[in-house]
Amino acid sequence: MMHPDLQRERSSATFNPELLTHILDGGVQRSKRRREIESLVLKDPDFQHEDANFLSRSERYEVAIKKSSKMVLKMREYGIADPEEIYWFKRTCHGALSEPFNLHTGMFVPTLSSQGTPQQQEKWLPLCSAMQVIGTYAQSEMGHGTHLRGLETTSTYDPSTQEFILNSPTISSIKWWPGGLGKTSNHAIVLAQLYTHGQCKGLHAFIVPIRHIGTHQPMQGVTVGDIGPKFGFDETDNGFLKLDNVRIPRENMLMKYAQVEPNGTYVKPVSQKLTYGTMVFIRSLIVGEAARCLSRACTIAIRYSAVRHQSELKPGEPEPQIMDYQTQQYKLFPLLATAYAFQFVGAYMTQTYHRITGDINEGDLSELPELHALSAGLKAFTSWISSAGIEECRMACGGHGYSRCSGLPDIYVTFTPACTYEGENTVMMLQTARFLVKSYMEVRAGKSVVGMVSYLNDLSLQRVQPHPVAARPVVVDINDLSSLVEAYKLRAAWLVEAAAKSVQAELNRQRGKEDAWNLSSVELVRASDAHCHYVVVKLFTAKLPEIVDVAVHNVLNSLCLLYALHGINRNTGDFLQAGLLTAPQLAQVQLRIKELLAIIRLNAVALVDAFDYSDAQLASVLGRYDGNVYENMFEWAKKSPLNKTQVHESYHKYLKPLQAKL
């Protein structure tokens, strides 16, 4: 039976959530197919499982391996081969939790596909598909992660045997963190410094067998294992790998772009950035994952806020839904708007990645630098905000949000590593800043730039002053999205210019380039953040004209406006200093935000329903579709292993003897 509060919320919605679901999925047929894929899992008894919260870490890993193995067999049985359909099937199997095959399908196979020669792909990909070869991606080391040039693992070519010899020369060079490395994988793509003819040619990728196929015992010279319990990811065997004179054939170096000939001659790639294609791909995916994890958290928190009643608004009256408190709305609705914004940005990044990759395959590398910079910046921007947003959703659920039954702790600990894996976020922002400053300097030199940084071409931006006294006329209309996009654009340009000038000022003080960069890094990160913020507002706004249903358009327009105004409210100093908004306008922004909270309140439940998560995918007692929270929370608690007996064995061992002596 549906909880009456949720029933009332849904019946009062001003739009049809199903239409919005189709927009998020990219069309009616895609929604239909996604649900078909998910239904295959949800109706399959092989995927019904005990709540992982009541299992030990070893048991959680075993259950995950069991499910992942069945998942592979089922996908073969159903003929699921499309990458997106595989993703739908996988996420339904594992819900919010991690799984041991993630790096096999997410990095090992894509790296083979993007960096292997046709001959290498012909050899390895069928073995991967058959799961004879189960791979991981061994990049990070104990002493180095994001700073790739600092990786210490070596791969030295021996022309006499036409083999590479891989070594971990120091304790800090031990590969550390790769998922699936500890116990699951039998191969790894190892990133190592290539040495040939006595010269280091930089970082390259090598296919290294680490366990024998059949026995799964480590190969000679390979020390491999699990790194131990972590903040989360209990289902995944993140591992360590130490290599001691491990020899592999010359053909095991991925050679689509760079090659080592039999005599040891090195043939360099057209562009070093081509070898980072897998990382760019994964960073693009993280943007979409940020949206999905934040949207799951919003779904739980908003549904719970509709059925939870607390305190009094007026003495003597019934306790109101906590979603009626403006403070609760102010916590959750901007996050809901952010989740929608990131959904559209994630879709854009996926499309852009595939488009530019197609151009690269045709020999056009012109957009590769911007793709690299945009994927790095947006990866950092979205993962930072989503990670903090998930935690805010948890706290918005009060004490019950602390319980694992809420589902929110698992969403948080599974997603928050995205702030550090595939590039630590601050470093990612600095990479984006390097591209922004370079683009700015090109404009100053009289050249034009294209893409998302084309706003730097506007010479009128040079009139934006660092202080409001002599600032340009204020023309921002806080109720017009196109005007707000312009404001975000000008803010980004102002901060990019400020960062570039900071670097130049340090250089003028006779600093070296590296010192000048470091001493300007706060300004550089702020510039990247503003650039990414502008991109998100721009893309969210650009999505609205595509939406033909008036009711859906109206509710998304309110969300987009809330997202843009809330961002201004959080960054008032920038907009004031750049002379883009006045203090009275900022007061109007605050009032308009409150008006939008009241408007979105009518549709909050319907908006999270449109994300279309099943109860199995949410794995949350608080976020149940039917809203029957309390009775199910009680049933969940009864399943605790501590409740298997009325008297725990520790009573007889310790408490009873203690009491006998008192």
Side-chain angles (χ1 to χ4, degrees):
M1 180 182 292
M2 186 71 64
H3 192 285
D5 285 333
L6 279 182
Q7 186 68 53
R8 186 175 62 255
E9 295 287 340
R10 291 181 173 121
S11 64
S12 64
T14 63
F15 74 101
N16 182 355
E18 182 74 4
L19 298 178
L20 185 46
T21 299
H22 298 331
I23 292 169
L24 294 174
D25 283 331
V28 176
Q29 291 305 314
R30 285 171 59 83
S31 292
K32 180 181 178 183
R33 181 57 179 160
R34 173 182 57 78
R35 287 167 174 165
E36 288 173 353
I37 296 292
E38 292 171 352
S39 181
L40 291 173
V41 178
L42 297 174
K43 293 180 179 179
D44 192 327
D46 284 341
F47 293 109
Q48 307 305 311
H49 57 276
E50 184 178 351
D51 193 314
N53 291 303
F54 300 134
L55 303 177
S56 69
R57 180 168 179 246
S58 180
E59 289 170 332
R60 288 177 77 141
Y61 170 71
E62 183 176 351
V63 167
I65 284 288
K66 178 181 177 182
K67 286 201 296 183
S68 292
S69 299
K70 287 184 178 295
M71 177 183 74
V72 171
L73 295 173
K74 296 286 184 177
M75 286 194 292
R76 288 178 190 167
E77 178 185 338
Y78 298 135
I80 297 172
D82 177 80
E84 192 158 37
E85 293 188 359
I86 290 172
Y87 172 76
W88 292 336
F89 198 93
K90 282 180 59 179
R91 77 178 184 190
T92 311
C93 287
H94 290 275
L97 303 178
S98 60
E99 66 111 350
F101 291 170
N102 266 346
L103 261 67
H104 174 76
T105 55
M107 293 204 69
F108 188 81
V109 172
T111 303
L112 285 172
S113 300
S114 63
Q115 297 185 40
T117 64
Q119 294 79 11
Q120 288 173 322
Q121 293 179 32
E122 185 178 350
K123 174 183 177 179
W124 292 100
L125 291 180
L127 294 172
C128 294
S129 179
M131 300 302 286
Q132 292 292 309
V133 166
I134 302 173
T136 186
Y137 190 83
Q139 175 174 292
S140 296
E141 297 174 355
M142 194 185 295
H144 287 92
T146 302
H147 180 53
L148 299 183
R149 289 194 300 275
L151 295 179
E152 300 175 81
T153 303
T154 61
S155 179
T156 305
Y157 184 65
D158 181 355
S160 67
T161 60
Q162 295 192 22
E163 293 175 314
F164 290 101
I165 307 168
L166 283 101
N167 265 306
S168 306
T170 64
I171 189 72
S172 57
S173 70
I174 295 173
K175 295 296 182 182
W176 200 269
W177 279 115
L181 174 60
K183 295 295 177 184
T184 307
S185 300
N186 54 27
H187 284 69
I189 287 178
V190 174
L191 276 289
Q193 303 290 352
L194 167 63
Y195 285 84
T196 182
H197 290 169
Q199 295 181 326
C200 182
K201 299 298 182 180
L203 208 61
H204 291 73
F206 302 86
I207 306 169
V208 182
I210 57 175
R211 293 180 181 273
H212 289 279
I213 295 177
T215 67
H216 213 56
Q217 290 293 325
M219 305 289 284
Q220 184 176 354
V222 171
T223 304
V224 62
D226 178 80
I227 65 171
K230 308 165 292 286
F231 189 38
F233 270 62
D234 289 334
E235 297 74 23
T236 299
D237 52 325
N238 296 82
F240 59 78
L241 175 66
K242 185 177 184 296
L243 302 169
D244 183 15
N245 293 320
V246 175
R247 287 179 172 265
I248 60 172
R250 183 182 69 90
E251 293 76 17
N252 279 31
M253 172 182 164
L254 292 178
M255 294 198 196
K256 182 176 181 179
Y257 299 117
Q259 295 95 37
V260 172
E261 294 179 347
N263 66 359
T265 300
Y266 178 73
V267 181
K268 67 179 181 180
V270 176
S271 169
Q272 289 292 342
K273 287 187 171 64
L274 289 172
T275 60
Y276 298 152
T278 303
M279 287 186 295
V280 172
F281 173 63
I282 295 298
R283 288 168 189 166
S284 299
L285 291 182
I286 288 172
V287 177
E289 193 60 23
R292 283 181 282 273
C293 290
L294 182 57
S295 63
R296 284 203 296 267
C298 287
T299 300
I300 294 167
I302 286 174
R303 284 180 180 168
Y304 179 64
S305 296
V307 300
R308 176 74 170 184
H309 291 249
Q310 187 81 24
S311 302
E312 294 179 340
L313 272 175
K314 297 178 181 178
E317 291 190 0
E319 293 180 298
Q321 298 162 280
I322 59 174
M323 197 155 62
D324 285 337
Y325 290 99
Q326 190 180 74
T327 50
Q328 188 78 346
Q329 296 169 13
Y330 191 74
K331 291 175 187 175
L332 296 179
F333 294 173
L335 293 174
L336 177 61
T338 302
Y340 271 92
F342 289 178
Q343 288 267 359
F344 298 132
V345 174
Y348 170 84
M349 283 303 299
T350 300
Q351 294 163 5
T352 302
Y353 173 81
H354 290 304
R355 177 179 62 78
I356 295 178
T357 300
D359 293 341
I360 291 170
N361 291 335
E362 297 295 322
D364 180 3
L365 307 182
S366 61
E367 292 189 75
L368 184 57
E370 182 177 18
L371 175 63
H372 187 268
L374 192 60
S375 65
L378 286 175
K379 178 266 182 188
F381 184 82
T382 59
S383 61
W384 261 335
I385 290 172
S386 292
S387 181
I390 294 163
E391 174 65 357
E392 189 157 2
C393 286
R394 185 192 67 78
M395 290 191 288
C397 292
H400 292 326
Y402 189 67
S403 171
R404 296 292 283 267
C405 80
S406 72
L408 291 164
D410 277 327
I411 296 174
Y412 181 77
V413 299
T414 301
F415 180 73
T416 199
C419 295
T420 46
Y421 65 55
E422 296 313 313
E424 192 278 329
N425 279 356
T426 301
V427 179
M428 293 297 94
M429 283 298 199
L430 289 170
Q431 285 186 12
T432 302
R434 196 172 297 277
F435 176 75
L436 293 173
V437 171
K438 181 181 177 182
S439 299
Y440 172 81
M441 297 307 293
E442 288 178 354
V443 170
R444 295 284 291 186
K447 299 178 182 178
S448 292
V449 292
V450 297
M452 286 293 183
V453 292
S454 59
Y455 59 83
L456 295 174
N457 293 322
D458 188 350
L459 295 179
S460 67
L461 297 178
Q462 305 308 318
R463 294 192 289 118
V464 179
Q465 302 295 320
H467 301 288
V469 178
R472 60 198 300 280
V474 176
V475 293
V476 178
D477 180 353
I478 66 168
N479 291 300
D480 179 66
L481 280 169
S482 61
S483 183
L484 292 173
V485 170
E486 182 73 9
Y488 272 91
K489 180 177 78 174
L490 294 172
R491 173 203 177 212
W494 177 67
L495 283 169
V496 170
E497 183 174 51
K501 286 183 175 179
S502 175
V503 173
Q504 188 58 51
E506 294 297 339
L507 289 172
N508 292 342
R509 296 187 182 98
Q510 307 303 310
R511 309 278 192 189
K513 287 184 179 179
E514 295 80 8
D515 287 337
W517 191 263
N518 181 46
L519 293 170
S520 303
S521 56
V522 172
E523 290 90 342
L524 290 163
V525 169
R526 287 184 65 205
S528 291
D529 183 86
H531 173 73
C532 293
H533 209 162
Y534 156 68
V535 170
V536 176
V537 173
K538 177 183 173 69
L539 292 176
F540 196 171
T541 302
K543 184 69 180 178
L544 297 178
E546 301 175 18
I547 300 166
V548 295
D549 184 87
V550 175
V552 173
H553 183 279
N554 287 343
V555 73
L556 281 182
N557 188 81
S558 295
L559 280 178
C560 188
L561 194 55
L562 177 63
Y563 179 79
L565 293 177
H566 186 262
I568 290 173
N569 203 45
R570 288 290 182 92
N571 298 278
T572 53
D574 291 348
F575 290 93
L576 276 173
Q577 282 186 288
L580 299 171
L581 289 168
T582 64
Q585 279 181 305
L586 291 172
Q588 291 174 3
V589 166
Q590 183 66 28
L591 290 174
R592 186 70 177 114
I593 287 173
K594 290 182 178 182
E595 293 171 359
L596 289 167
L597 295 179
I599 291 169
I600 293 166
R601 169 68 183 84
L602 295 171
N603 290 301
V605 169
L607 281 165
V608 296
D609 285 351
F611 291 131
D612 201 29
Y613 293 119
S614 67
D615 283 347
Q617 289 171 315
L618 282 180
S620 169
V621 173
L622 302 192
R624 291 174 59 94
Y625 184 82
D626 63 13
N628 296 319
V629 171
Y630 300 132
E631 48 269 67
N632 284 286
M633 188 182 297
F634 187 38
E635 292 303 314
W636 183 87
K638 291 177 185 178
K639 297 174 185 176
S640 170
L642 287 177
N643 293 325
K644 287 184 177 179
T645 60
Q646 282 297 321
V647 180
H648 193 266
E649 60 184 19
S650 62
Y651 170 77
H652 299 287
K653 290 180 179 179
Y654 309 112
L655 291 181
K656 191 173 182 179
L658 173 67
Q659 292 168 342
K661 294 179 180 180
L662 296 178

